[in-house]
Amino acid sequence: MVIEGNHEIEPQAAGLIFQSYLTRYSVPSKESGSNSNLYYSFNAGGIHFIMLGAYVDYNQTSAQYSWLQHDLEKVDRGVTPWLVAAWHSPWYNSYSSHYQEFECMRQEMEEMLYTYRVDIVFSGHVHAYERMNRVYNYTLDPCGPVYITVGDGGNIEKVDADHADDPGKCPSPGDNIPEFGGVCHMNFSSGPAKGKFCWDRQPEWSAYRESSFGHGILEMVNSTHALWTWHRNQDIYRENSHGDQLYIVRQPHTCSVDSKVPFHLPQRQDSRLSPSIPVALEH
């Protein structure tokens, strides 16, 4: 199962885009009620996967947004207790590269994913590894998803090493313009970075980050526990070695869909989390 990124746009004559991607890959779009191979969903074991398109219209009047809402409404957590989403460009990212690049998409879609209690979100794009604490609207929240950036599969552009909170590494609001969609760069409105575009230290929602190439494995243990392990490439010859590992724990009674808040309400406060489906979301 694949999802498109900026490298697959490939503009051609007559305004054609994504032609190589659409021609080469077959995904269950029709089976999941989508009219586009650029976003779709599928089940695998006890997981319902939602694959979203960051480079097609995602605003609240779009076909993708309407499809997402209908798809989430149909999820039976008794059959697929885990809800995992993936798209190319991360919403939560403390690296200078692609910092706040897809803030517009977050503002349009995050509330719905939170409302329906998405458990885990995988993204790529940033050529490094980062795992977040559970978060919603930049606030630590025990019912928010665990966002994981695993765009570290290897590439010719080298690994991303600079953090936006490093001295002199905070991008300007004019940097990191997305290939698709608007620009919604903003200063933080609360917390230690209130009034600033960047933090002056690792953000509280960023749990672990490392500039290494690697890959991750997600093991679903049961309906409430999943084991996530991230391996560095350079550790391949070291027995029982890993870069980051933790159990992700669902709390269906505390964070049930039945207790979901209306779309217009914000946040709450921290739950620390510290798999075999391979995950690699960068070419």
Side-chain angles (χ1 to χ4, degrees):
M1 298 292 103
V2 297
I3 198 66
E4 76 282 354
N6 53 308
H7 294 280
E8 285 70 60
I9 297 174
E10 297 181 327
Q12 298 179 33
L16 293 176
I17 55 176
F18 294 115
Q19 289 305 296
S20 298
Y21 170 87
L22 294 172
T23 302
R24 289 189 172 113
Y25 297 108
S26 177
V27 297
S29 52
K30 291 182 180 178
E31 293 87 338
S32 58
S34 170
N35 63 3
S36 170
N37 282 10
L38 301 176
Y39 52 88
Y40 61 95
S41 66
F42 64 97
N43 292 339
I47 312 169
H48 184 70
F49 283 94
I50 296 173
M51 311 294 279
L52 297 179
Y55 298 90
V56 291
D57 197 357
Y58 47 68
N59 66 44
Q60 296 182 11
T61 60
S62 68
Q64 179 174 202
Y65 188 94
S66 177
W67 167 83
L68 175 60
Q69 185 166 8
H70 286 112
D71 189 79
L72 288 168
E73 288 172 351
K74 294 185 294 183
V75 174
D76 184 348
R77 301 301 278 262
V79 177
T80 54
W82 289 90
L83 189 52
V84 176
W87 57 87
H88 186 68
S89 314
W91 293 349
Y92 290 91
N93 165 37
S94 67
Y95 286 88
S96 300
S97 179
H98 306 300
Y99 183 76
Q100 283 200 22
E101 187 173 300
F102 274 75
E103 180 63 16
C104 290
M105 186 183 181
R106 185 194 70 81
Q107 292 179 20
E108 293 288 336
M109 288 186 153
E110 183 182 28
E111 197 165 18
M112 193 194 307
L113 298 186
Y114 175 80
T115 297
Y116 284 93
R117 303 309 189 213
V118 169
D119 299 299
I120 308 170
V121 173
F122 289 109
S123 294
H125 203 39
V126 176
H127 300 158
Y129 174 75
E130 185 169 22
R131 171 177 55 82
M132 317 306 154
N133 289 310
R134 289 188 178 272
V135 62
Y136 170 63
N137 196 24
Y138 290 108
T139 301
L140 298 175
D141 190 310
C143 297
V146 178
Y147 290 84
I148 298 175
T149 299
V150 60
D152 55 342
N155 59 82
I156 63 173
E157 300 168 356
K158 300 183 179 180
V159 71
D160 287 322
D162 294 335
H163 302 119
D165 49 274
D166 292 337
K169 299 300 182 180
C170 179
S172 73
D175 294 333
N176 297 329
I177 305 301
E179 287 92 338
F180 177 87
V183 176
C184 297
H185 296 158
M186 64 171 205
N187 292 342
F188 294 100
S189 59
S190 62
K194 183 177 181 179
K196 300 177 181 178
F197 186 53
C198 297
W199 286 61
D200 58 6
R201 58 186 182 277
Q202 183 171 355
E204 60 188 6
W205 36 263
S206 173
Y208 183 88
R209 59 191 185 183
E210 184 173 328
S211 298
S212 294
F213 291 139
H215 69 278
I217 297 175
L218 182 65
E219 298 178 40
M220 314 316 293
V221 180
N222 54 39
S223 64
T224 58
H225 289 67
L227 180 64
W228 166 252
T229 307
W230 174 70
H231 297 273
R232 305 179 189 89
N233 283 1
Q234 59 266 37
D235 292 344
I236 188 171
Y237 299 111
R238 299 178 187 174
E239 189 173 353
N240 298 322
S241 177
H242 55 262
D244 185 32
Q245 185 178 59
L246 79 160
Y247 280 98
I248 298 174
V249 181
R250 294 184 60 243
Q251 303 180 78
H253 299 297
T254 303
C255 303
S256 67
V257 178
D258 292 336
S259 67
K260 62 181 180 287
V261 296
F263 279 1
H264 62 276
L265 292 181
Q267 56 258 109
R268 259 204 230 27
Q269 297 256 302
D270 179 28
S271 157
R272 176 176 158 80
L273 304 160
S274 205
S276 274
I277 301 172
V279 178
L281 296 182
E282 183 64 55
H283 63 289

